[in-house]
Amino acid sequence: MTVKTPEATEATNTAAEAGLQPFLHDAIVTMRAPSFVVSRPDGRFGGGADGFFHGERRALSRLDITADGVPMAWVVGGLEGADRAVFRTILRGAAETTPDPAVVLTRHRHTEAGCFTDRIEVVNSGRIPAEFRLTVTAGTDLATTEQVKSGTHVADAEVTAGGSGALAWSDGTYTVCLAGTRPAIAGTTPGVLHYDLVLAPGERWETELVCTAEDAQGVPFPAPDAAAPAAWSRPELRSADRSLDRWLTQADADLDGLLLADPEHPADRFLAAGAPWFATLFGRDSLWAARMLLPLGTDLAASTLRVLARRQGRIDDPRTQEQPGKILHEVRRGGLRLDGGEIDLPPVYYGTIDATPLWLTLLHDAWRWGLPAEDVEALLPHAEAALAWLRDFGDADGDGFLEYVDTTGKGLANQGWKDSGDSVRFRDGGFAEAPVALCEVQAYAYEAARGGAALLRAFGRGGADEWEEWAERLKSRFRSAFWVEDARGAYPAIALDGAKRPVDSATSNIGHLLGTGLLDRAESELIAKRLTGPDFDSGFGLRTITSDFPRYNPTGYHLGSVWPHDTAIAVQGLARAGLGEAAGRLATGLIHAADGFDSRLPELFAGYGTDESRHPVPYPASCRPQAWAAASAIHVTGALLGLSANVPDGTVTVAAEVHPDFRPLRLSGLRVAGEPMEIDVAADGTPTVTAPSGITVRTV
């Protein structure tokens, strides 16, 4: 992810005044990509990042409802799934004859692609009439999401039309309309509508405020066809831990709201990375999210693979960092400028070291979950190009490791998933100099080469032996070059720097090595022991770096925070390595965190531990929802069940005994080879699997 991470800044009254990224931790976000609404907990748009966004623009930046002369007290508000929310406010003193509130205003919000509706309902439950003027105030700056994210002040647009119940704004190509279903009294101030209400006892008054946004240039990625079949099977979970059940339900709704379609082939869909800042195609994020959802079917994986294959690198372009066979990092219509222009990314940017091996691994894993042979075979030329990139471009200096360096001076300095400028550090706090070879990227490359070899052999294509040998050489070199020691013992460094020195800080990146095949049993156990120690395990998930690191910061983007997907990957890796106790411990912490965020885990949150706080502490600027944070619910559930598939061999594997905190358990909505599968786990831990015919169930 592209982020702005200043080391220090003066506190000021508003983010816009200082050019600071606005906070999101208390925002209510409803969405149907490529549109979403960000508001205060009471439903109003109150500045900062609040507003209605569509297609990388803020269509509406102000929407407030007041009752003239009547104090309003918000009492409750929150999500109803992913695209709906409800907010209730008491009009204090109106029609009151006792201390009991009498008049309540409720906003029922529904967000769709290109549109959102606030249904306003006012009910007088008092014993006397209520009479007051309801005022709606609206406005917009038509800012880009980049401007909003950077805290840049943009002047309000002028109202271009206003009448009975309708307002409009336009800059010539982008048009916004806010219309009410009841006639309104136009205010003397532009952008204001009035409704005079007289409510008898027991009377109800309603109107709908409908806001639409139209971009004459079109959006980079549209919403999928509403009539299209579901992109995955809907999971239904009932377990002894209802927190896990709630997390899975909310995650499923959020993921559905993040779906976008490929304009070149609308039947193909993928998951946008997150709202509000990353509602577009990101190679790494979309691949990880699709991989995590494989137990629910292979359709999303196949679509995601095809979307990225269509944009696979063909030429060597230093400006965009495109290279033949390479999978892209992100797509934005106007590119992206950050840090006063020090970072200036082109609209289609390939500056990532890990998306290409992750693409290969997703193809392999989708094949094992039953992706039809014809779909796999159609993608094999792209797989061969991706494998060639690992060898010919990913390893630029020929030392046998994948490394990155930004040669443009305007791109991302770090090009793994921890892509902030200060994320790759030595134990003493010093920065690694490029080119940088990240530890987890070597694990991805090993897994990709092995998986690629399996695909080539299965489909009768040459090169399988070569890639298996390449992977084994990488494995041997990794063991010699990356392992370091401190007082607690041996562990892999986060990276090698340009001088091939191990960058020896202890980071959560090592969790991504587990279960890839790069490590032996003893090495996996060393990592498991370290990850479950108190300096890594916050009790809510894994810190990105140990709490004893000299520059540790619990609210540091990659220097002490907790990323749910990062912990989920470690949980899955531990389970694959046969280290179920450690996997269960980390999974329990993450589920506890999900409960603290009303089942919608954010992109990241602060690294404060359960010994410091009863509740997880937000990272205030975090996106919420985020695709791979939501998909982690499936990844963690699958890990707890020890679930894996090998359809070419006709087998599905589950754990012989599920962690006691989650049983009894019943999970339906799983799909293997396109057919439904269910798992029931008894109170004693014994699983019963209803699998498709021709599939043999193994327990381990």
Side-chain angles (χ1 to χ4, degrees), residues 317-367:
D317 182 351
R319 164 64 179 143
T320 65
Q321 303 205 358
E322 179 181 357
Q323 293 166 333
K326 193 176 187 181
I327 300 300
L328 61 79
H329 174 59
E330 66 178 290
V331 177
R332 293 181 187 269
R333 180 165 59 193
L336 187 66
R337 290 172 61 89
L338 294 173
D339 293 340
E342 290 184 17
I343 294 176
D344 186 5
L345 306 185
V348 182
Y349 180 57
Y350 287 80
T352 171
I353 190 64
D354 51 11
T356 307
L358 289 170
W359 187 95
L360 285 160
T361 303
L362 177 60
L363 177 60
H364 171 261
D365 287 2
W367 171 60

Side-chain angles (χ1 to χ4, degrees), residues 217-445:
Q217 297 178 340
V219 296
F221 297 103
D225 186 341
W232 57 83
S233 177
R234 301 301 176 200
E236 293 187 13
L237 176 66
R238 182 76 177 189
S239 75
D241 190 327
R242 300 309 305 279
S243 296
L244 177 59
D245 304 359
R246 290 190 293 269
W247 181 24
L248 193 67
T249 298
Q250 182 64 50
D252 178 58
D254 286 339
L255 291 164
D256 188 55
L258 286 168
L259 275 173
L260 288 171
D262 186 347
E264 297 181 18
H265 198 290
D268 281 341
R269 295 160 289 179
F270 64 91
L271 286 166
W277 312 131
F278 307 117
T280 185
L281 175 63
F282 275 78
R284 176 192 307 119
D285 300 56
S286 299
L287 287 163
W288 262 121
R291 188 180 182 189
M292 290 175 173
L293 293 183
L294 279 172
L296 305 180
T298 60
D299 288 352
L300 178 67
S303 289
T304 303
L305 289 163
R306 289 192 291 263
V307 169
L308 290 166
R310 292 187 189 102
R311 295 160 177 81
Q312 189 173 27
R314 293 175 174 82
I315 63 173
D316 193 352
D317 182 351
R319 164 64 179 143
T320 65
Q321 303 205 358
E322 179 181 357
Q323 293 166 333
K326 193 176 187 181
I327 300 300
L328 61 79
H329 174 59
E330 66 178 290
V331 177
R332 293 181 187 269
R333 180 165 59 193
L336 187 66
R337 290 172 61 89
L338 294 173
D339 293 340
E342 290 184 17
I343 294 176
D344 186 5
L345 306 185
V348 182
Y349 180 57
Y350 287 80
T352 171
I353 190 64
D354 51 11
T356 307
L358 289 170
W359 187 95
L360 285 160
T361 303
L362 177 60
L363 177 60
H364 171 261
D365 287 2
W367 171 60
R368 287 175 60 98
W369 275 95
L371 182 64
E374 59 271 23
D375 291 343
V376 178
E377 197 154 21
L379 290 166
L380 288 180
H382 297 280
E384 290 169 327
L387 285 166
W389 179 86
L390 300 183
R391 178 192 59 220
D392 300 337
F393 293 95
D395 179 14
D397 61 7
D399 69 343
F401 296 121
L402 269 64
E403 59 257 318
Y404 59 82
V405 58
D406 171 43
T407 58
T408 70
K410 290 285 188 178
L412 297 177
N414 286 315
Q415 297 185 0
W417 81 263
K418 292 181 178 176
D419 61 3
S420 57
D422 60 357
S423 62
V424 185
R425 312 279 284 269
F426 286 89
R427 193 187 305 171
D428 63 6
F431 290 85
E433 296 292 334
V436 173
L438 292 168
C439 68
E440 77 273 16
V441 173
Q442 314 317 312
Y444 301 162

